[in-house]
């Protein structure tokens, strides 16, 4: 193919890192590249906080569900949707700042595009990365530690560092289960494709020493209960309008 596609296709999350820090120049290079991600109307509604204080990293590791990698990786960041700059500009221009769901979504989308570009940039430097959705386990406590101003919405953490493990790549759904031509497939077609994938995932889990596991039972159980039900209240407190 080409080296970019090869690079992207090699991704796997890294969860064990050596203690080697990531040099600030590498971080700057990766962030500059990541900033070139497309952004809705060039609003650039995201930002990222690097957490360098070891005590704060340890506390965040706990809050993220005792994920030690948060404290141990070479560099840890909190990725945010960010309307703060827009609010400052509105205020300076004596204009009203109207918070709305569209603005929130734009920030979330922008932050994700930036984050995934950043992931690829770091991986191209032979570093490993892991997104940390566990940050949303307890955003109220995370906010007490990090003091984000109104208009900044922490979304997830992001570990980067030198890998201290070499995990298998996790298989993905068949192409036909995510790329459709002209119309959405029937439910039965989709379920058949998933059965195919379950077989592949079951081989993957056997290789990892976790035989008996596969994908669909996991996903089927994933949405049985309300998860992180305090998110809307948290983001509203931070200034989001979710209607
Ligand atoms: C937004 C987001 C949040 C995630 N949160 C966590 C997390 O808290 N802890 C973790 O170990 N992995 C986390 N992951 C990694 C996923 O579990 C992983 O990407 C997925 O299982 C696919 O595996 P792979 O990245 O190795 O291909 C997260 C990934 C994303 C995109």
């Amino acid at each position: 193919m080409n080296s970019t596609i090869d690079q992207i296709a090699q991704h796997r999350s890294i969860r064990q890192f050596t203690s080697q820090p990531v040099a600030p120049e590498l971080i700057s290079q990766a962030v500059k590249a990541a900033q070139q991600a497309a952004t809705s109307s060039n609003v650039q509604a995201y930002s990222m906080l690097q957490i360098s204080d070891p005590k704060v990293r340890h506390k965040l590791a706990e809050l993220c569900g005792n994920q030690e990698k948060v404290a141990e990786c070479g560099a840890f960041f909190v990725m945010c949707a960010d309307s703060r700059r827009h609010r400052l500009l509105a205020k300076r221009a004596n204009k009203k700042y109207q918070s709305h769901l569209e603005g929130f979504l734009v920030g979330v989308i922008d932050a994700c595009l930036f984050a995934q570009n950043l992931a690829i940039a770091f991986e191209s430097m032979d570093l490993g990365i892991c997104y940390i959705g566990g940050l949303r386990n307890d955003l109220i406590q995370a906010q007490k530690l990090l003091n984000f101003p109104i208009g900044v919405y922490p979304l997830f953490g992001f570990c980067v560092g030198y890998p201290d493990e070499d995990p298998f790549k996790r298989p993905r759904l068949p192409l036909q289960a995510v790329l459709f031509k002209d119309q959405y497939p029937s439910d039965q077609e989709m379920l058949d494709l998933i059965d195919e994938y379950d077989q592949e995932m079951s081989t993957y889990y056997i290789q990892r020493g976790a035989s008996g596991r596969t994908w669909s039972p996991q996903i089927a159980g994933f949405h049985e209960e309300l998860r992180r039900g305090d998110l809307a209240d948290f983001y509203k407190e931070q200034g989001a309008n979710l209607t």
Side-chain angles (χ1 to χ4, degrees), residues 11-13 15 67 69 130-134 156 170 172:
H11 163 79
R12 70 262 198 283
S13 293
R15 297 186 171 86
Q67 299 202 50
K69 53 189 172 288
C130 189
Y131 287 87
I132 303 292
F156 48 85
R170 209 172 263 218
R172 296 298 197 257

Side-chain angles (χ1 to χ4, degrees), residues 10-15 64 67 69-70 112 116 123 129-137 155-157 167-172 201 204-205 208 218 228:
Q10 285 314 309
H11 163 79
R12 70 262 198 283
S13 293
I14 295 297
R15 297 186 171 86
C64 291
Q67 299 202 50
K69 53 189 172 288
V70 168
C112 292
Q116 184 53 23
E123 287 175 342
I129 68 101
C130 189
Y131 287 87
I132 303 292
L135 183 79
R136 296 190 304 279
N137 284 351
L155 300 174
F156 48 85
F168 288 110
K169 260 175 60 171
R170 209 172 263 218
R172 296 298 197 257
M201 280 303 272
Y204 161 80
Y205 280 122
R208 284 186 43 184
Q218 240 173 288
R228 297 173 179 154

Side-chain angles (χ1 to χ4, degrees), residues 81-152:
D82 189 344
S83 66
R84 185 76 186 169
R85 286 184 288 265
H86 302 172
R87 289 167 191 255
L88 291 177
L89 291 178
K91 192 171 173 199
R92 192 168 69 179
N94 277 323
K95 290 190 185 296
K96 176 182 170 195
Y97 178 86
Q98 177 63 58
S99 196
H100 43 63
L101 179 61
E102 171 64 9
F104 183 78
L105 283 179
V106 160
V108 172
I109 295 166
D110 268 13
C112 292
L113 297 178
F114 167 76
Q116 184 53 23
N117 249 8
L118 188 69
I120 294 166
F122 279 135
E123 287 175 342
S124 78
M125 299 167 172
D126 290 331
L127 291 156
I129 68 101
C130 189
Y131 287 87
I132 303 292
L135 183 79
R136 296 190 304 279
N137 284 351
D138 193 345
L139 279 175
I140 294 173
Q141 290 306 319
Q143 167 65 10
K144 281 191 182 150
L145 274 175
L146 303 175
N147 296 309
F148 287 113
I150 292 294
V152 181

Side-chain angles (χ1 to χ4, degrees), residues 21-22 27 47-61 63-64 69-80 132 135 141-148 152 154 156-160:
V22 180
I27 295 174
S47 55
M48 185 172 80
L49 186 67
Q50 181 173 4
I51 315 294
S52 40
D53 181 336
K55 278 197 212 128
V56 179
R57 293 263 300 263
H58 275 103
K59 185 70 198 154
L60 282 174
L63 291 177
C64 291
K69 53 189 172 288
V70 168
E72 289 169 357
C73 62
F76 179 74
F77 305 96
V78 174
M79 201 69 67
C80 302
I132 303 292
L135 183 79
Q141 290 306 319
Q143 167 65 10
K144 281 191 182 150
L145 274 175
L146 303 175
N147 296 309
F148 287 113
V152 181
F156 48 85
F158 188 99
C159 295
V160 58

